[in-house]
């Protein structure tokens, strides 16, 4: 089985990415992906795109040969009430929305606070993916998180960048194994994302797939293998 989509990628527009959209598209095609997701950071990220950037996606063509492009946002969870840095009017313009916690935008709280923030963010009807809940800087109850994701029909992201030994996030490997454990236990689907900030890593899930093999995590619970699963992630109709 081949991975068909990478829904977590950034370009220079995110302020700390190093490739253009064109470079990411070319890289995705070279990797054999069928769908590329552009998920720029929300405007609260230092150096992130202005909110106007998100309202101009309409000018971007969506088909490049056999590669389809989806344009979304990795919104910042900004408080323990699950508040995002993108308002509803702009969320409604997105093909899909990932919500994530970043130290630049939300101070890590207690286990209860971080868990509450993530669960309330998942209750936002536009949020269909919870980004990288795998960072020990944000102590969190991963069992509660996975149960809530199941209830809200939100996918848990397994983030390949968290497995990079140079990652800013801490404890990625053990935390990702725990996420896989609970997702398997409660049959909650996961979405693999590279979180690429440069074209060379677009579609490269090497470290994640090693863990998938090691744990014998069921492929049926990994959304990336079937384009029909896009309907679970996207806020727009997907044929
Ligand atoms: Zn980033
Ligand atoms: Zn992120």
């Amino acid at each position: 089985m081949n991975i068909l989509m990478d829904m977590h990628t950034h370009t220079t527009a995110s302020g700390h990415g190093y490739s253009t959209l064109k470079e990411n598209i070319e890289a995705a095609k070279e990797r054999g992906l069928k769908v590329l997701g552009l998920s720029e950071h929300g405007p609260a990220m230092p150096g992130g795109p202005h909110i106007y950037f998100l309202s101009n996606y309409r000018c971007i063509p969506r088909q490049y040969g056999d590669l389809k492009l989806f344009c979304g946002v990795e919104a910042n969870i900004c408080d323990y009430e699950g508040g995002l840095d993108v308002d509803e009017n702009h969320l409604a313009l997105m093909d899909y929305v990932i919500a994530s916690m970043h130290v630049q935008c939300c101070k890590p709280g207690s286990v209860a606070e971080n868990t509450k923030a993530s669960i309330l963010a998942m209750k936002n009807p536009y949020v269909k993916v919870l980004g990288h809940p795998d960072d020990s800087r944000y102590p969190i109850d991963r069992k509660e998180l996975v149960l809530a994701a199941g209830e809200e029909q939100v996918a848990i992201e397994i983030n390949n960048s968290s497995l990079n030994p140079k990652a800013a996030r801490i404890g990625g490997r053990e935390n990702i194994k725990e996420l896989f454990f609970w997702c398997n236990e409660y049959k909650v689907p996961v979405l693999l994302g590279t979180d690429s900030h440069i074209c060379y890593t677009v579609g490269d899930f090497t470290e994640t797939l090693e863990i998938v093999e090691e744990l014998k995590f069921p492929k049926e619970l990994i959304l990336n293998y079937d384009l029909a699963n896009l309907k679970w992630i996207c806020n727009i109709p997907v044929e």
Side-chain angles (χ1 to χ4, degrees):
M1 284 212 286
N2 293 326
I3 289 204
L4 302 176
M5 50 176 135
D6 183 357
M7 302 304 283
H8 195 157
T9 67
H10 300 271
T11 72
T12 50
S14 274
H16 54 273
Y18 302 93
S19 295
T20 63
L21 181 55
K22 185 179 184 205
E23 288 165 339
N24 281 1
I25 287 167
E26 283 166 3
K29 286 166 76 89
E30 278 167 29
R31 289 264 181 204
L33 297 182
K34 299 294 174 226
V35 166
L36 173 67
L38 172 70
S39 57
E40 303 288 17
H41 283 291
M45 178 63 73
H50 193 275
I51 194 78
Y52 295 159
F53 179 94
L54 300 176
S55 60
N56 202 31
Y57 282 159
R58 66 177 93 84
C59 73
I60 305 178
R62 302 308 174 91
Q63 196 73 43
Y64 300 85
D66 63 352
L67 180 82
K68 214 175 171 74
L69 178 70
F70 285 77
C71 297
V73 67
E74 183 187 14
N76 290 291
I77 300 172
C78 292
D79 55 47
Y80 305 134
E81 304 301 315
L84 303 180
D85 63 341
V86 182
D87 62 78
E88 268 198 24
N89 291 339
H90 285 87
L91 289 176
L93 298 173
M94 300 296 101
D95 296 345
Y96 69 104
V97 178
I98 303 173
S100 311
M101 299 184 91
H102 299 107
V103 288
Q104 298 85 352
C105 305
C106 186
K107 200 163 73 81
S110 64
V111 172
E113 286 169 329
N114 298 330
T115 307
K116 183 179 168 212
S118 298
I119 289 176
L120 291 179
M122 287 194 283
K123 285 183 185 290
N124 184 313
Y126 293 103
V127 173
K128 300 287 171 58
V129 184
L130 184 69
H132 51 71
D134 59 17
D135 184 353
S136 293
R137 293 178 301 176
Y138 287 99
I140 207 160
D141 186 332
R142 267 174 275 276
K143 179 184 173 185
E144 284 303 311
L145 214 59
V146 168
L147 279 169
E151 259 171 51
E152 305 299 333
Q153 298 212 306
V154 168
I156 295 286
E157 184 197 47
I158 301 295
N159 187 295
N160 200 73
S161 288
S162 299
L163 296 167
N164 183 332
K166 292 179 186 163
R169 293 189 284 270
I170 295 171
R173 183 165 295 270
E174 57 186 318
N175 295 334
I176 280 173
K177 284 186 175 180
E178 195 194 344
L179 287 171
F180 272 133
F181 175 82
W182 292 120
C183 286
N184 192 16
E185 192 78 0
Y186 296 115
K187 303 298 168 219
V188 171
V190 300
L191 179 69
L192 312 188
T194 63
D195 200 358
S196 289
H197 287 70
I198 193 161
C199 58
Y200 303 108
T201 56
V202 170
D204 183 356
F205 295 93
T206 307
E207 289 79 8
T208 302
L209 293 177
E210 281 168 12
I211 296 180
V212 167
E213 286 307 315
E214 184 189 324
L215 300 180
K216 308 259 176 284
F217 186 79
K219 296 247 175 24
E220 312 84 71
L221 287 177
I222 300 176
L223 297 175
N224 305 61
Y225 290 110
D226 187 351
L227 296 183
N229 289 329
L230 278 166
K231 64 176 177 292
W232 300 111
I233 307 163
C234 291
N235 293 316
I236 53 160
V238 183
E239 72 271 15

